[in-house]
Amino acid sequence: MQPSDSLREQIIAQYDAMSAQLQQAARYVLEHPEEVALVSMREVARLAGVQPATMTRLAKFLGLPGYDELRAQHAAALRQGSDGFAAKVRQRVDEGSERGACDTASHMLQGLSAQLAKLCEPDSLRQLEATATRLRSARKVYVLGLRSCHAVAWHFHYVMTLLGERSVHLDGPGGTGGDGLIRATSEDVLLVISIKPYATGTLELAQLAKDKGAGIVSITDSEVSPLVGMSAQTILCPTETDSFFHTLTPALAVSEVLCSLLAEFDRPKTLDALQQADDHLSHLNTYATAIPRRQ
Amino acid sequence: MQPSDSLREQIIAQYDAMSAQLQQAARYVLEHPEEVALVSMREVARLAGVQPATMTRLAKFLGLPGYDELRAQHAAALRQGSDGFAAKVRQRVDEGSERGACDTASHMLQGLSAQLAKLCEPDSLRQLEATATRLRSARKVYVLGLRSCHAVAWHFHYVMTLLGERSVHLDGPGGTGGDGLIRATSEDVLLVISIKPYATGTLELAQLAKDKGAGIVSITDSEVSPLVGMSAQTILCPTETDSFFHTLTPALAVSEVLCSLLAEFDRPKTLDALQQADDHLSHLNTYATAIPRRQ
DNA sequence: AGATATTTGCAACAAATAAATCATTTAAAT
DNA sequence: ATTTAAATGATTTATTTGTTGCAAATATCT
């Protein structure tokens, strides 16, 4: 929360060596770090009761190239303070001056890690639980995710088939994916996954399901996603990376959490279902080794 | 923590009535409130990918006198968030006070976050880089992942098709998935994804590819995975969770990192390829460009 | 299809900004 | 008390900022 602790400590350490005006400026900076980050230098100077030039001189006195650097450091501190838990993980390799592949990879993984951590915030958790509850009471759960979101949709459906036979994946060869909705009713729920850019097919099918009275719950990327308006529950998850592509890792994580919550709702039933799946698959020699029993 | 909730809600409420550029600007503002408070308008515009003027227009559209007011409100929110412990205390309380579902969800997400962070260790990063390098030089990249690993395999393949035409997904209807390997040569590489329990189909196909002289690289879950022995490069990623299921989130993250590294190897070519994909998809109206206005 | 709004990109502008420069004051040393 | 050095204030300068006006492009409606 403090602006780049090292800088703060440096100001304190060198305070005694400063001239009167410099001390007055430094004191204000220490006591009002947010202002330094948020308002112009001249305004900070006015608030601190010193000349604008004094702020420049303070920055140089601290060994910085200019006042902008002083502001930048305070801004960075404020940024980190704002988005909570997430930032901590990132702190380590912030300024990767070296552009190696390992650095790129590391930076990206840390970013993803931070995004998952961010999903632990109360708002997200509440949405997760509400969505799981809604899915739990559905007669059938239709799952829809096209293009990049196919991966998430399919994985959710796959896990659900291990748990029972309520899940219907809206996908298939020959463009027949939507046919699953033919007998959809108001007792059913459609889980739809879509991130920007939103596939038209996804939106159309979701609208169709809604027209049929089915409940809609969604995993998407923004409050202003077109899915938000038509969904009874929405789980928001970040998709930004510093690479060319959007990430689906948080969306997959969310999907996995949903599966877990659904499984936990009725443990005995879940164990039964997994046992059945186990038997079935081992009869088919699907796996090189039998599915290990998990409690 | 959010910028003056009323303003935020107003942006969301009026979002549908905005033009495309305005929406893009508004979306960035919603998703990066700290940046709005901390950097100049022109910089925000650059980050959001819109013209500077659009930011001014956004502010006026929202009924504000100018952009400065937009920034001021975000700055005020950030000021509160930073030194007001109140928000965070409230979060902690909310979190601690209640329910099992939220706890399990939170715990699971934190676990996943930690697993991704662990992938940043030097050993893993080296494997990632080596694997990316190997994939880079391949004539064709076959991608194989069955059952639960289908999600990861498909997503990798999907991204690779956006980048070029080297990728072949070994999957398809009617059990013809393996046919892609008919003309595989020693210039090719097979990326195989499999976690315990290992699908026999995966191992057989991988062995077949190896017999044909293709290079094998793999994403798997253990040093003692059957894939390790037949692979030139292996990336290990954790799959443990405290729920009934194994997680594929780390595997997906690894796959995404690989895609990024491959994309970074030749940025200009990547940008060209993405542009082509973009053109193609927009001709097909694959994506909803504007969200239908509601009066 | 043509006509009419609306949206969008570009360039120019005035205002404000941080830094550099110079002049004046203040403190310290001889 | 005079000289010298440092500190402070005022002024100037080159950028950068947010805004506005206008033409091209796009969408919308008869």
Side-chain angles (χ1 to χ4, degrees), chain B residues 19-22 42 51 53 57:
Chain B
S19 71
Q21 290 295 108
L22 247 43
R42 290 177 112 91
Q51 293 271 338
R57 287 167 180 153

Side-chain angles (χ1 to χ4, degrees), chain A residues 89-146:
Chain A
V89 194
R90 278 222 143 178
Q91 243 164 345
R92 277 188 258 157
V93 193
D94 231 350
E95 291 289 327
S97 54
E98 242 182 273
R99 272 271 117 197
C102 281
D103 286 332
T104 319
S106 173
H107 194 259
M108 189 168 164
L109 285 168
Q110 288 188 26
L112 291 175
S113 175
Q115 285 176 331
L116 291 196
K118 205 171 194 171
L119 283 174
C120 294
E121 284 176 4
D123 282 351
S124 305
L125 294 178
R126 257 192 300 277
Q127 287 302 319
L128 268 169
E129 189 189 16
T131 304
T133 304
R134 185 74 188 82
L135 286 172
R136 181 191 186 189
S137 60
R139 187 184 64 109
K140 279 201 178 301
V141 174
Y142 299 98
V143 188
L144 172 60
L146 301 183

Side-chain angles (χ1 to χ4, degrees), chain B residues 234-255:
Chain B
T234 304
I235 301 169
L236 296 179
C237 58
T239 63
E240 288 292 321
T241 68
D242 34 34
S243 95
F244 297 98
F245 313 106
H246 285 183
T247 176
L248 278 165
T249 299
L252 183 67
V254 161
S255 157

Side-chain angles (χ1 to χ4, degrees), chain B residues 82-98:
Chain B
S82 79
D83 50 10
F85 310 85
K88 293 192 177 156
V89 172
R90 191 169 354 109
Q91 283 183 356
R92 295 278 153 71
V93 168
D94 267 350
E95 205 172 358
S97 66
E98 46 187 315

Side-chain angles (χ1 to χ4, degrees), chain B residues 23-292:
Chain B
Q23 287 189 342
Q24 192 171 333
R27 195 181 172 102
Y28 184 86
V29 170
L30 284 177
E31 287 169 5
H32 303 270
E34 337 82 35
E35 301 305 316
V36 177
L38 291 171
V39 310
S40 76
M41 182 203 77
R42 290 177 112 91
E43 182 68 5
V44 173
R46 201 185 59 76
L47 292 169
V50 301
Q51 293 271 338
T54 305
M55 285 299 172
T56 298
R57 287 167 180 153
L58 174 63
K60 303 228 159 179
F61 182 89
L62 294 169
L64 305 174
Y67 180 84
D68 270 326
E69 183 60 25
L70 188 68
R71 193 217 327 269
Q73 297 222 23
H74 281 80
L78 203 54
R79 248 185 284 256
Q80 290 214 334
S82 79
D83 50 10
F85 310 85
K88 293 192 177 156
V89 172
R90 191 169 354 109
Q91 283 183 356
R92 295 278 153 71
V93 168
D94 267 350
E95 205 172 358
S97 66
E98 46 187 315
R99 44 178 148 304
C102 279
D103 281 340
T104 46
S106 175
H107 192 257
M108 188 168 165
L109 286 168
Q110 288 185 25
L112 291 175
S113 176
Q115 284 176 331
L116 292 196
K118 201 172 281 176
L119 282 174
C120 294
E121 283 175 3
D123 282 352
S124 305
L125 294 178
R126 256 193 301 279
Q127 286 302 319
L128 268 169
E129 189 184 16
T131 304
T133 305
R134 184 74 189 82
L135 286 172
R136 181 192 187 186
S137 59
R139 186 184 64 111
K140 280 203 176 300
V141 174
Y142 300 98
V143 188
L144 172 61
L146 300 183
R147 303 196 64 82
S148 66
C149 296
H150 166 81
V152 177
W154 189 86
H155 185 252
F156 181 87
H157 167 74
Y158 174 77
V159 174
M160 291 305 280
T161 54
L162 297 180
L163 291 179
E165 42 190 1
R166 292 194 303 142
S167 180
V168 178
H169 186 198
L170 298 181
D171 192 25
T176 62
D179 295 6
L181 285 177
I182 290 177
R183 272 165 289 276
T185 75
S186 61
E187 293 177 278
D188 303 329
V189 173
L190 170 67
L191 170 65
V192 45
I193 301 118
S194 186
I195 64 174
K196 193 175 175 187
Y198 311 100
T200 49
T202 300
L203 300 180
E204 288 165 7
L205 268 181
Q207 187 58 54
L208 176 60
K210 181 159 193 180
D211 293 344
K212 289 193 164 228
I216 313 279
V217 300
S218 56
I219 299 174
T220 190
D221 58 353
S222 163
E223 310 261 13
V224 295
S225 157
L227 289 179
V228 172
M230 57 175 85
S231 303
Q233 300 291 337
T234 304
I235 301 169
L236 296 179
C237 58
T239 63
E240 288 292 321
T241 68
D242 34 34
S243 95
F244 297 98
F245 313 106
H246 285 183
T247 176
L248 278 165
T249 299
L252 183 67
V254 161
S255 157
E256 289 188 328
V257 171
L258 279 180
C259 290
S260 293
L261 292 179
L262 289 170
E264 297 280 354
F265 274 138
D266 190 346
R267 288 181 83 97
K269 190 179 161 195
T270 297
L271 290 171
D272 265 8
L274 290 178
Q275 183 62 54
Q276 278 184 10
D278 215 357
D279 294 346
H280 176 76
L281 293 172
S282 66
H283 275 100
L284 289 176
N285 273 331
T286 305
Y287 294 121
T289 50
I291 293 145

Side-chain angles (χ1 to χ4, degrees), chain A residues 64-99:
Chain A
L64 304 173
Y67 181 83
D68 264 327
E69 184 59 27
L70 188 68
R71 194 220 320 274
Q73 297 218 21
H74 282 79
L78 205 53
R79 246 186 285 257
Q80 298 211 339
S82 81
D83 50 15
F85 331 77
K88 287 178 213 150
V89 194
R90 278 222 143 178
Q91 243 164 345
R92 277 188 258 157
V93 193
D94 231 350
E95 291 289 327
S97 54
E98 242 182 273
R99 272 271 117 197

